[in-house]
């Protein structure tokens, strides 16, 4: 294999290549921390041509490539554990331009989400996809997983915000997809095939992001609720009267961890569930409507307590209770589930899941949180001290089979926004039919005939 690497270095003398142990470990893993990183080397191309040359080299030497962004993924999609070449896009991190008439921002894939958001603001607009990893994740990775986050309820997923994509396929061809057009009825839209393909069809080397007007001034509220049913009742009543920008929930168990991790308590007492919601509040009428809903919810018994942020700092403190959850759980090596069902099916699904998890995980701490207004729940199972990793994972995988069957019954998805990667690969068939998976494999063959790009992710290698 070192002969192949020597050949790469000879053909691309300007290419930055890393082979030190620390780099291999750093670039070979993502936030899952489950697989032991073991890449061949790390390549950090600076140009589209270098990306193409690397892919051509990989085809000649039959070396697998793992495309790599911020590696904040939670499904193992960016893990390199089998001698792959990690192709990190972190040096391709420039904002290339803003087109005022089109309201698009053209960026390289290594631009962090927060940097794209900041660049949009410089032009008086917003790039509205948003989530807690905004400072570390990259646009290329967001596209590869069709990232969702906390504003999907208002703005949709990453897919809605991509006007054009440049992509290098598995045989090194450069595709210029949709070219920023608003209307383009000229056949297959490969842009949408690439979005969410987890690096198995092509490597995103440039993206034109759609921007939009900033939302009206918002208010942020924290609500304490007696149970999950109440969360759904409050959601319906708030959605009917307010223009929601976000509606996120978490349980008391999540709160316990986030407080232990340094967040500040905002409501007294212990309550089973909490909601952080943000809604348009351009005038007093909207604020009065929100207070009215709070009062009504309390009368109905759906809301036990609530507070409205009086400043940006207070709003940030309320958001920290929700956005700090992932980090606060990380030391407990959570087994993560990221599932979705149609919004109308959420109540029925929630009851089925509560029963299943209480039955299957009586001995483990289970943390529920997520984007309930999108039908997307994060169910994290924490590893108890003293239980070996392999036993814990075996138990979680056993339960995930049942969880996947329950999801199938309810027409849901085993991955709402984190991707399939390695973690959810065994359960893909709970969400996709046999014929559909066969077509997915066929599509992969067309884009990547030699199976160079991220093999083993999404489905087993051919
Ligand atoms: C979130 O909603 O906080 C993210 O999807 C991350 C996670 O699920 O841990
Ligand atoms: Zn999420």
């Amino acid at each position: 294999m070192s002969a192949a690497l020597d050949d790469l270095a000879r053909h691309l003398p300007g290419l930055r290549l890393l082979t030190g142990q620390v780099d291999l470990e750093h670039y070979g893993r993502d936030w899952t921390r489950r697989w032991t990183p073991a890449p061949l080397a790390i390549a950090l191309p600076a140009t589209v041509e270098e990306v193409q040359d690397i892919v051509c080299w990989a085809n000649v030497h039959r070396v697998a490539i793992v495309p790599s962004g911020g590696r904040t993924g939670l499904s193992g999609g960016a893990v390199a554990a089998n001698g792959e070449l990690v192709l990190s896009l972190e040096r391709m991190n420039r904002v290339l331009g803003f087109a005022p008439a089109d309201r698009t921002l053209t960026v390289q894939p290594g631009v962090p989400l927060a940097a794209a958001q900041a660049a949009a603001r410089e032009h008086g607009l917003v790039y509205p996809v948003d989530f807690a990893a905004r400072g570390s994740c990259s646009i290329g990775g967001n596209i590869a997983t069709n990232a969702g986050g906390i504003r999907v309820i208002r703005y949709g997923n990453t897919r809605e915000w991509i006007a054009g994509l440049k992509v290098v396929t598995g045989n090194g061809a450069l595709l210029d997809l949709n070219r920023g057009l608003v209307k383009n009825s000229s056949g297959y839209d490969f842009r949408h095939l690439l979005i969410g393909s987890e690096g198995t069809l092509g490597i995103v080397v440039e993206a034109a992001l759609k921007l939009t007007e900033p939302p009206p001034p918002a208010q942020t509220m924290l609500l304490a609720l007696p149970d999950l049913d109440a969360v759904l009742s409050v959601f319906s009543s708030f959605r009917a009267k307010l223009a929601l920008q976000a509606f996120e929930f978490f349980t008391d168990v999540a709160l316990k961890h986030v407080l232990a991790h340094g967040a500040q308590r905002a409501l007294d007492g212990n309550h089973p569930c909490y909601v952080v919601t943000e809604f348009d509040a351009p005038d007093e009428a909207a604020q009065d409507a929100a207070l009215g809903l709070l009062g009504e919810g309390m009368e109905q018994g759906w809301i036990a307590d609530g507070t409205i942020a009086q400043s940006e700092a207070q709003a940030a403190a309320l958001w920290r209770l929700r956005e700090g959850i992932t980090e606060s759980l990380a030391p407990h090596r959570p087994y993560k589930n990221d599932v979705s069902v149609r919004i109308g099916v959420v109540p029925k699904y929630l009851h089925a899941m509560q029963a299943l998890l209480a039955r299957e995980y009586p001995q483990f701490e289970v943390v529920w949180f997520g984007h309930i207004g999108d039908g997307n729940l994060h169910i994290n199972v924490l590893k108890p001290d003293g239980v070996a990793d392999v036993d814990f994972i075996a138990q979680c995988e056993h339960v995930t089979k049942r969880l996947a069957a329950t999801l199938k019954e309810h027409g849901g998805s085993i991955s709402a926004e984190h991707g399939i990667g390695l973690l959810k690969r065994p359960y893909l068939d709970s969400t996709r039919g046999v014929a559909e998976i066969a077509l997915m494999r066929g599509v992969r063959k067309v884009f990547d005939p030699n199976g160079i790009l991220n093999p083993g992710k999404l489905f087993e290698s051919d």
Side-chain angles (χ1 to χ4, degrees), residues 53-88:
D53 288 342
I54 294 167
V55 172
C56 292
W57 163 86
N59 274 279
V60 171
H61 293 274
R62 294 292 198 267
V63 174
I65 290 177
V66 176
S68 182
R71 293 176 303 285
T72 56
L74 296 164
S75 293
V79 167
N82 292 303
E84 304 94 331
L85 181 83
V86 174
L87 192 156
S88 164

Side-chain angles (χ1 to χ4, degrees), residues 228 249 251 335-339 348-369 377-382 395-407 414 424:
L228 278 168
F249 100 104
T251 59
Y335 180 88
K336 285 186 168 279
N337 294 292
D338 160 42
V339 300
K348 202 168 146 252
Y349 178 70
L350 273 179
H351 286 124
M353 286 295 292
Q354 279 173 301
L356 174 82
L357 297 180
R359 198 169 60 237
E360 298 286 347
Y361 281 133
Q363 72 285 36
F364 295 158
E365 193 170 35
V366 181
V367 190
W368 297 61
F369 61 101
L377 305 172
H378 297 309
I379 303 166
N380 286 208
V381 187
L382 307 191
Q395 169 75 359
C396 291
E397 288 186 337
H398 163 76
V399 179
T400 305
K401 265 191 215 138
R402 297 188 173 193
L403 184 149
T406 310
L407 265 175
I414 192 72
K424 294 293 154 41

Side-chain angles (χ1 to χ4, degrees), residues 322 371 376 378 417-418:
R322 164 63 184 91
H371 323 282
N376 177 190
H378 297 309
E417 58 173 6
H418 294 169

Side-chain angles (χ1 to χ4, degrees), residues 113-280:
L113 171 59
Q117 292 170 335
R121 280 196 296 273
E122 278 172 25
H123 299 289
L125 295 169
V126 293
Y127 177 65
V129 176
D130 196 22
F131 45 90
R134 61 183 74 79
S136 330
C137 68
S138 69
I139 290 293
N142 292 181
I143 293 169
T145 51
N146 186 25
I150 56 176
R151 314 245 166 221
V152 171
I153 194 168
R154 178 68 157 267
Y155 295 106
N157 299 291
T158 298
R159 180 179 303 289
E160 267 72 52
W161 297 94
I162 304 300
L165 272 187
K166 286 191 184 164
V167 165
V168 173
T169 67
N171 55 20
L174 178 64
L175 306 182
D176 190 358
L177 304 174
N178 196 58
R179 304 189 313 280
L181 297 171
V182 175
K183 299 184 102 175
N184 181 10
S185 182
S186 60
Y188 308 139
D189 192 341
F190 291 143
R191 167 185 49 154
H192 286 297
L193 204 47
L194 264 293
I195 298 168
S197 64
E198 302 190 31
T200 63
L201 299 181
I203 301 168
V204 173
V205 290
E206 195 179 297
L209 308 179
K210 297 181 198 172
L211 307 183
T212 188
E213 270 140 37
Q219 273 196 331
T220 307
M221 223 183 212
L222 174 71
L223 305 169
L225 312 176
D227 52 37
L228 278 168
D229 286 340
V231 174
L232 298 173
S233 304
V234 172
F235 175 59
S236 301
S237 86
F238 273 49
R239 191 162 67 155
K241 297 259 174 65
L242 299 173
L244 298 178
Q245 293 187 26
F247 192 92
E248 299 281 309
F249 100 104
F250 50 94
T251 59
D252 52 345
V253 190
L255 182 68
K256 177 186 84 180
H257 286 283
V258 92
L259 292 177
H261 213 70
Q264 292 297 310
R265 185 180 277 286
L267 289 173
D268 290 334
N270 288 320
H271 305 275
C273 293
Y274 295 86
V275 163
V276 173
T277 181
E278 202 170 293
F279 47 87
D280 292 357

